[in-house]
Amino acid sequence: MIIEIPSFQKTLLNWFARYSRDLPWRRSYLPYHIWISEIMLQQTQMERGTAYFERWIKRFPDIASIAEASEEEILKYWEGLGYYSRARNIHKAAQLLMKKNGGQLPADRTSLLAMPGIGKYTAAAIMSLAFNKDVPLVDANIERLFARLFNIETPIKDKGQQTFIWRNAKEILPPGQARNFNQALMELGALVCRPRNPNCTVCPVHNHCQSLTLGVVDERPVPGKTTDTIRIEMVTGFLQKGGAIFIQKRPPNGVWANLWEFPGGRIEAGETPAEALVREYMEETEMNIGNLSKITTVKHSYTRYRVTLHCYTCFLLNGPQRPVLHEAQEYRWITPLDLHRFAFPAGHRKLIEFMRKKKLL
Ligand code: SF4
């Protein structure tokens, strides 16, 4: 440890008191608010996460209201945030808390880790931010900050460096001030020690920073292994019949579990998007479709996939008019006005938004 701890703590806490952002969960520090905000902000930018948080809390003001809601509604309020297992886990955890803990979040690590969807990071966030327990916390902002502050010379995700980072987060934590101190570290990483162009000239802890002293700020953090992205071409069809639209509910397990969709799938080698759509409809529903008309192409990403989704309108031809479902648990014929009641994966939601904008719905 090279930084001078008491001076570092004091400087950082003063800076946080002056410059921290006014975020809705910071107004009360209710454990429930901290829990939801921490789960929502994983893989989500702050501005977007805040908007979703406010909408969520308005509809679900407490754990009981989540437990009582249907999974369908929970997914609808999560729609667009992705990683839907997070929403399903919140729902399950809320039901568990109502049964076993009077609708309250526990304050100890073992009980928190026993809840669906709560791992080491979220448990530490709830304990330190909601209950102000002396527990260290490390997120991506703190990892980057520490990589620069302590001049970490190998990738921060390496096991040895993770141990080093968590150990230092614990060592520099001022007793009784975990709530403000952990947030101050995260806030400094988010606002000043940013991924690109860290603003060292205004950094309150610049005189503790080893990579600044050594002139290697631009080389920290050292990049780790990158995962290759995979590009895939998919197709989907907006099937219409007498003013109604066909939607089906995906299976309860696997990708986008329990979300609704328009049938479709991957385009196979040698197929045109239109041929793939006719095949997919037949395989998934045994319905024969035709009169295809291209609507648009939307692009979206999930995990490491970059998807190009070709979108068509289509109609039923001869043959069975009722679907036989092979890759869905139920189906509906709905009016365009009812579309807002169902949660769809990102690509299909973008298609609906496009059609609304173009007044095609
Ligand atoms: Fe980050 Fe620069 Fe501050 Fe060092 S001086 S902690 S690199 S912002």
Side-chain angles (χ1 to χ4, degrees):
M1 178 79 57
I2 294 157
I3 63 171
E4 211 273 293
I5 297 178
S7 140
F8 180 88
Q9 291 169 332
K10 192 168 168 225
T11 308
L12 189 62
L13 284 167
N14 286 343
W15 174 84
F16 183 68
R18 192 154 173 212
Y19 294 107
S20 60
R21 289 168 290 185
D22 174 29
L23 301 173
W25 49 91
R26 285 183 181 164
R27 291 173 201 149
S28 65
Y29 288 107
L30 285 174
Y32 166 56
H33 286 192
I34 297 296
W35 172 39
I36 298 300
S37 66
E38 285 299 332
I39 303 282
M40 269 186 181
L41 288 172
Q42 290 164 17
Q43 321 279 345
T44 306
Q45 287 181 338
M46 181 62 82
E47 206 178 316
R48 188 172 159 76
T50 304
Y52 269 87
F53 175 85
E54 287 184 318
R55 200 170 70 108
W56 177 281
I57 294 297
K58 213 166 160 194
R59 167 60 189 92
F60 306 114
D62 49 28
I63 289 174
S65 53
I66 299 181
E68 284 159 15
S70 65
E71 185 182 290
E72 193 90 37
E73 192 180 12
I74 296 285
L75 290 175
K76 186 65 202 166
Y77 273 78
W78 202 267
E79 188 186 25
L81 281 175
Y83 300 95
Y84 290 87
S85 57
R86 293 181 297 170
R88 280 189 288 272
N89 281 333
I90 288 177
H91 193 212
K92 279 186 214 143
Q95 289 171 338
L96 216 63
L97 289 170
M98 289 309 293
K99 261 191 221 148
K100 297 196 167 167
N101 212 37
Q104 300 298 317
L105 275 156
D108 67 284
R109 188 189 309 271
T110 310
S111 312
L112 284 166
L113 289 176
M115 282 169 49
I118 295 199
K120 181 182 172 185
Y121 170 80
T122 312
I126 293 170
M127 284 189 289
S128 64
L129 308 190
F131 296 106
N132 200 24
K133 290 196 165 195
D134 291 340
V135 173
L137 188 59
V138 174
D139 73 345
N141 285 316
I142 297 180
E143 284 176 345
R144 182 175 61 255
L145 173 69
F146 280 17
R148 292 171 177 157
L149 207 54
F150 301 116
N151 188 33
I152 297 176
E153 292 175 327
T154 55
I156 44 182
K157 291 294 179 196
D158 287 358
K159 206 172 164 210
Q161 297 301 8
Q162 283 293 309
T163 310
F164 172 84
I165 290 170
W166 278 90
R167 196 180 62 231
N168 277 295
K170 191 174 175 192
E171 275 180 36
I172 63 174
L173 190 65
Q177 303 205 62
R179 172 182 293 161
N180 285 343
F181 191 76
N182 284 344
Q183 288 189 99
L185 288 172
M186 292 193 282
E187 198 83 331
L188 188 68
L191 301 181
V192 179
C193 197
R194 303 169 299 217
R196 281 190 206 94
N197 304 321
N199 199 350
C200 302
T201 48
V202 301
C203 178
V205 296
H206 68 272
N207 56 354
H208 298 270
C209 181
Q210 290 173 47
S211 59
L212 184 68
T213 307
L214 296 169
V216 292
V217 169
D218 292 345
E219 294 156 42
R220 303 289 177 265
V222 172
K225 270 192 227 139
T226 49
T227 16
D228 292 339
T229 53
I230 299 171
R231 296 185 185 281
I232 49 176
E233 299 272 323
M234 298 186 78
V235 64
T236 191
F238 203 82
L239 176 61
Q240 294 167 295
K241 186 172 79 172
I245 302 155
F246 181 81
I247 59 172
Q248 60 179 14
K249 191 175 186 180
R250 292 181 61 85
N253 298 306
V255 185
W256 301 316
N258 289 339
L259 294 189
W260 290 82
E261 65 174 7
F262 311 111
R266 276 206 200 199
I267 301 169
E268 290 177 1
E271 272 182 333
T272 64
E275 286 165 351
L277 184 60
V278 172
R279 174 184 55 73
E280 285 286 344
Y281 255 95
M282 186 52 76
E283 286 174 5
E284 289 186 15
T285 67
E286 295 189 19
M287 293 192 292
N288 190 18
I289 56 144
N291 296 330
L292 271 56
S293 174
K294 184 85 186 257
I295 311 170
T296 187
T297 302
V298 299
K299 291 187 185 278
H300 69 101
S301 306
Y302 70 97
T303 57
R304 60 202 181 106
Y305 296 98
R306 303 289 171 268
V307 181
T308 302
L309 181 65
H310 301 267
C311 311
Y312 290 82
T313 52
C314 53
F315 295 88
L316 280 173
L317 299 180
N318 53 347
Q321 303 289 297
R322 288 173 68 89
V324 178
L325 299 181
H326 291 283
E327 291 185 28
Q329 45 182 314
E330 61 175 294
Y331 73 92
R332 307 252 175 103
W333 287 98
I334 60 166
T335 69
L337 288 176
D338 282 332
L339 274 169
H340 73 279
R341 292 177 36 229
F342 300 87
F344 289 86
H348 294 203
R349 198 171 37 81
K350 281 188 181 172
L351 168 61
I352 295 167
E353 281 162 16
F354 175 87
M355 293 183 79
R356 285 218 175 98
K357 216 184 268 172
K358 296 282 174 192
K359 304 211 182 311
L360 298 170
L361 281 175

